[in-house]
Amino acid sequence: HVEVTALEAGPVRARVRIDATYSWPTHAIGDEGSCSQRADAVVPVTVETTLELRTGERFLRARTELDNPCRDHRLRVHFPLPAAVTSSHAECAFAVVERGLTAEGGPNEFGLPTFVSRRFVDASDGRVGLAVVHDGLLEYELPSDDGSQSSELALTLLRATGYLSRLQLALRASPAGYPYPLRGPQMLGHRAFEYALVPHRGDWRDANLYDVADEVLVPLERIRAGGVAGAAREPAGARLRVDGARVSAVLREPGGLVVRVFNASPDAASATVEQDAAPATGWTVDLVGRPLVRFEGGVELDPWEIATLRLDAAP
């Protein structure tokens, strides 16, 4: 049973709520093995999803909530794609990884085509695509019947399990850990998940998904402060400016700023750094802070290269 309710009609914001009620098996049968058999007993569960559009944003915000009474199950949301695809691109640590529709297996573990993404995953054919920006929903899959192409993207909302591992697994020759019973990973009770849908043309780079992820997941905080007599600031500007690379960390240390940048691209890039509207100078340093090479105004970065810059103190 599905009900759709219009909550707001704009013009600044529009929202609808979709209440979908399902009958889910209450649990899996058996404490060992794969637990592939479901209980005959079912329980009604209402999944509430609120979709939100805001003026000036090119993505659709979504929030899914439910009270989960069921054990031993995985809950996923499926999105139809604008075109069939043969691969996905997912953000990982300091890189975007391309993956096909199948996974490598071996004698000790069956290859499952479920993969991990850090903040976003994109499925496109190079002309059009759909990206999902998420907050902590790390598992996704492009389901496919024959492994040649996929027309949907599945995002895992919750995976409920009652054991750290199990014995005699159907897809592994040996346990993944001690078969200790747990209650917390069943994820019972109220759960809420937030994500955003980004339809776009081109591929993930054309969609500027790094910028979109920042816009979705790192909103500006606004406060009203009291004025100070005689104080004034320029209407726009920045003490630190980095172009041509992504910034992953800024640390204030004795002697100056430390800025970590990385090239989020399979192509070489030039990163420029300005401090107080002037070309920054300093040293590239290693992971323990030892100086490597002197730089002035910026650095050259290889594909996916990470660099840590120690800036000279501003005059």
Side-chain angles (χ1 to χ4, degrees):
H1 179 70
V2 177
E3 292 184 359
V4 180
T5 305
L7 302 177
E8 295 182 62
V12 176
R13 182 172 69 177
R15 293 193 304 148
V16 298
R17 188 182 71 234
I18 304 170
D19 296 320
T21 301
Y22 304 89
S23 292
W24 291 349
T26 56
H27 63 283
I29 297 175
D31 290 334
E32 304 294 341
S34 62
C35 285
S36 59
Q37 184 177 358
R38 310 296 294 170
D40 294 332
V42 297
V43 60
V45 180
T46 298
V47 179
E48 176 187 298
T49 299
T50 302
L51 305 178
E52 178 178 320
L53 285 174
R54 300 179 185 176
T55 298
E57 293 183 344
R58 61 185 181 96
F59 48 84
L60 173 71
R61 297 178 183 269
R63 178 181 174 89
T64 298
E65 298 183 63
L66 72 150
D67 286 313
N68 177 40
C70 302
R71 297 181 283 115
D72 315 316
H73 70 121
R74 177 172 63 175
L75 177 63
R76 303 199 290 185
V77 55
H78 290 247
F79 306 105
L81 300 176
V85 300
T86 58
S87 65
S88 63
H89 290 84
E91 186 201 16
C92 295
F94 301 103
V96 174
V97 178
E98 181 178 8
R99 301 186 178 100
L101 304 182
T102 59
E104 294 182 2
N108 295 320
E109 188 167 3
F110 184 81
L112 295 174
T114 52
F115 301 110
V116 66
S117 66
R118 181 171 175 261
R119 295 186 305 167
F120 64 79
V121 55
D122 179 63
S124 67
D125 65 351
R127 299 178 296 108
V128 292
L130 176 70
V132 180
V133 176
H134 58 82
D135 187 10
L137 304 174
L138 305 181
E139 182 185 89
Y140 76 92
E141 180 183 359
L142 299 182
S144 174
D145 293 332
D146 56 7
S148 63
Q149 63 180 15
S150 175
S151 297
E152 61 178 332
L153 189 156
L155 181 71
T156 300
L157 299 184
L158 63 82
R159 292 183 63 175
T161 179
Y163 284 84
L164 181 63
S165 181
R166 296 184 185 243
L167 302 176
Q168 301 175 357
L169 296 170
L171 302 180
R172 285 178 61 103
S174 58
Y178 186 76
Y180 191 81
L182 301 170
R183 177 175 175 82
Q186 290 288 12
M187 301 187 72
L188 300 171
H190 182 264
R191 300 290 166 178
F193 316 96
E194 294 186 346
Y195 48 94
L197 306 179
V198 191
H200 63 85
R201 299 188 183 277
D203 60 16
W204 67 272
R205 288 178 290 182
D206 298 321
N208 296 318
L209 290 183
Y210 273 99
D211 291 336
V212 175
D214 286 343
E215 188 175 353
V216 174
L217 302 175
V218 192
L220 289 175
E221 296 289 343
R222 297 174 176 87
I223 62 171
R224 184 179 299 275
V228 178
R233 290 182 62 88
E234 295 296 327
R239 298 290 302 273
L240 175 68
R241 180 183 179 92
V242 177
D243 292 312
R246 312 301 306 188
V247 177
S248 69
V250 177
L251 306 175
R252 189 181 301 276
E253 295 188 353
L257 293 178
V258 173
V259 182
R260 183 164 295 113
V261 300
F262 66 100
N263 176 15
S265 166
D267 304 315
S270 297
T272 60
V273 185
E274 292 183 356
Q275 192 173 19
D276 291 327
T281 61
W283 292 84
T284 61
V285 299
D286 61 16
L287 292 178
V288 295
R290 294 173 296 198
L292 298 175
V293 179
R294 186 78 180 167
F295 77 89
E296 182 174 353
V299 293
E300 298 296 319
L301 298 173
D302 290 333
W304 309 116
E305 183 179 0
I306 307 168
T308 304
L309 313 178
R310 183 183 300 257
L311 278 56
D312 294 335

